[in-house]
Amino acid sequence: MRLHVADHPLITHKLSVLRDKRTPSPTFRNLTEELVTLLAYEATRNVKTVPITIETPVTTTQGVEIARPAPLIVPILRAGLGMLSGMTALLPTAEVGFLGMVRNEETLQPDIYAERLPDDLTGRQTFLIDPMLATGGSLIAAIKYLTDRGATDVTAVCLLGAPEGVAAVEKAVDGLDVTVVLGALDERLNEHGYIVPGLGDAGDRLYGTV
Ligand code: PRP
Ligand code: URA
């Protein structure tokens, strides 16, 4: 597994505003979109392209276009939905699949309650988006869902991660081509499985249902 933790003052600044408990949902949503676009730049570094020939007003030259099959972006509902428009802004030709998961707050195990994905993901670059990588249970289950359908190249984009969750994902995906891109790697999980310092419940903060 490759891990990339962002190191950019704009990302740290925007994350600081997200972390602030006084930040209201509309600001939280806008900042999430902006952050994803910044992280997507790194996450798409190895996106597959094919060479093409183009005519400029002056001459003929070589360029590239995104290879087919188109990359697949998969937000993990509900909180991952807040990252979708930021990701498609950078990859407008990508297709979008959906995975609905909720973590049981007592067992901390994820339950899958919705799925809308292509049956065959062979040869597809897939991008999972979810703001929080806490215990890693949700991300591990999502990666398994994709690899069971033939995906071999999975990149997860998360705003915050906990070291415990990163280690769990690394162990679970041993031997697979998985990249995790984080806005920040936080200190730890607390006794409730929340990221510390974190930003609280990402879904509640995005959608205002605290
Ligand atoms: C949050 C978050 C992740 C998961 C992370 O979702 O968006 O999906 O928890 O926790 P884990 O790494 O311990 O599995 P939640 O289950 O709260 O659902 P929601 O998006 O509907 O709010
Ligand atoms: N899910 C969240 O939304 N926040 C956390 O800190 C952990 C899991």
Side-chain angles (χ1 to χ4, degrees):
M1 184 188 96
R2 282 176 296 277
L3 175 67
H4 178 85
V5 183
D7 177 21
H8 192 291
L10 272 183
I11 293 179
T12 311
H13 163 66
K14 289 176 194 294
L15 277 175
S16 304
V17 183
L18 275 196
R19 290 181 191 279
D20 189 330
K21 66 181 185 185
R22 296 167 304 179
T23 299
S25 290
T27 312
F28 195 97
R29 282 196 290 269
N30 288 340
L31 280 169
T32 298
E33 282 181 25
E34 290 174 19
L35 273 161
V36 175
T37 304
L38 294 171
L39 294 176
Y41 185 72
E42 185 57 40
T44 53
R45 181 171 289 282
N46 295 316
V47 72
K48 287 183 200 150
T49 57
V50 289
I52 54 165
T53 302
I54 44 172
E55 302 279 336
T56 77
V58 179
T59 188
T60 301
T61 188
Q62 297 299 304
V64 296
E65 66 181 15
I66 305 290
R68 288 174 198 281
L72 183 74
I73 299 172
V74 182
I76 301 180
L77 309 182
R78 140 190 86 145
L81 214 45
M83 299 170 73
L84 182 58
S85 58
M87 195 73 195
T88 52
L90 215 66
L91 267 184
T93 57
E95 292 173 16
V96 180
F98 295 90
L99 265 180
M101 286 191 185
V102 65
R103 187 175 81 156
N104 179 313
E105 292 300 336
E106 274 162 26
T107 64
L108 301 184
Q109 296 304 306
D111 272 339
I112 298 181
Y113 61 83
E115 174 264 309
R116 195 86 162 97
L117 292 172
D119 289 337
D120 185 7
L121 296 176
T122 310
R124 285 259 182 149
Q125 282 188 301
T126 52
F127 294 89
L128 278 167
I129 50 178
D130 189 332
M132 310 304 271
L133 197 182
T135 65
S138 303
L139 188 56
I140 292 167
I143 292 171
K144 179 159 172 19
Y145 229 87
L146 301 181
T147 55
D148 282 352
R149 282 167 170 69
T152 52
D153 179 343
V154 180
T155 299
V157 185
C158 305
L159 300 184
L160 297 183
E164 297 91 326
V166 170
V169 175
E170 184 156 32
K171 193 167 166 214
V173 304
D174 191 28
L176 297 174
D177 186 2
V178 171
T179 303
V180 175
V181 176
L182 297 179
L185 182 60
D186 274 11
E187 285 168 30
R188 62 183 171 88
L189 293 177
N190 70 13
E191 63 278 22
H192 304 294
Y194 272 72
I195 298 174
V196 179
L199 51 74
D201 185 307
D204 287 353
R205 298 216 45 207
L206 277 163
Y207 302 116
T209 50
V210 181

Coordinates of all heavy atoms in Angstrom, one line a residue, residues 9 19 34 74 103 106 108-109 167 187 198:
P9 N 0.4 24.2 2.8 CA -0.2 25.1 3.7 C -1.7 25.4 3.5 O -2.5 25.6 4.4 CB 0.6 26.4 3.6 CG 1.5 26.2 2.4 CD 1.6 24.7 2.1
R19 N -12.0 21.6 11.1 CA -11.9 21.0 12.4 C -12.6 21.8 13.4 O -13.1 21.3 14.4 CB -10.4 20.9 12.8 CG -9.6 19.9 12.1 CD -8.2 19.9 12.7 NE -7.2 19.2 11.9 CZ -7.0 17.9 12.0 NH1 -7.7 17.1 12.7 NH2 -6.0 17.3 11.3
E34 N -13.4 22.0 -1.9 CA -12.1 22.6 -2.3 C -11.0 21.7 -1.9 O -10.0 21.5 -2.6 CB -11.9 23.9 -1.5 CG -12.9 25.0 -2.0 CD -12.8 26.3 -1.2 OE1 -11.8 26.5 -0.5 OE2 -13.7 27.1 -1.3
V74 N -16.0 6.3 -6.6 CA -17.1 5.7 -5.7 C -17.1 6.4 -4.3 O -16.2 6.2 -3.5 CB -16.8 4.2 -5.5 CG1 -17.9 3.6 -4.6 CG2 -16.6 3.5 -6.8
R103 N -21.3 2.8 9.9 CA -20.6 2.1 11.0 C -21.4 1.9 12.2 O -22.1 2.9 12.6 CB -19.3 3.0 11.3 CG -18.4 2.4 12.2 CD -17.2 3.3 12.4 NE -17.4 4.3 13.3 CZ -16.4 5.0 14.0 NH1 -15.2 4.6 13.8 NH2 -16.7 5.9 14.9
E106 N -21.5 0.9 18.1 CA -21.1 0.1 19.3 C -20.0 -0.9 18.9 O -19.0 -1.0 19.6 CB -22.3 -0.6 19.8 CG -23.0 0.3 20.8 CD -24.4 -0.1 21.1 OE1 -24.8 -1.3 21.0 OE2 -25.2 0.8 21.5
L108 N -18.4 -0.8 16.0 CA -17.5 -0.2 15.0 C -17.3 -0.9 13.7 O -16.4 -0.7 12.9 CB -16.1 0.2 15.7 CG -16.1 1.0 16.9 CD1 -14.7 1.4 17.4 CD2 -16.9 2.4 16.7
Q109 N -18.2 -1.9 13.5 CA -18.2 -2.6 12.2 C -19.1 -2.0 11.2 O -20.1 -1.5 11.5 CB -18.7 -4.1 12.4 CG -17.8 -4.9 13.3 CD -16.4 -5.0 12.9 OE1 -16.1 -5.3 11.7 NE2 -15.4 -4.6 13.7
A167 N -2.9 1.5 9.5 CA -2.2 0.2 9.7 C -3.1 -0.9 9.4 O -2.7 -1.9 8.8 CB -1.7 0.1 11.2
E187 N -3.6 12.0 15.3 CA -2.8 11.4 16.4 C -3.3 10.0 16.7 O -2.4 9.1 16.8 CB -3.0 12.2 17.7 CG -2.2 13.5 17.7 CD -2.6 14.4 18.8 OE1 -3.0 13.9 19.9 OE2 -2.5 15.6 18.6
G198 N -9.2 15.2 14.9 CA -10.4 15.0 14.1 C -11.2 16.2 13.8 O -10.7 17.3 13.9

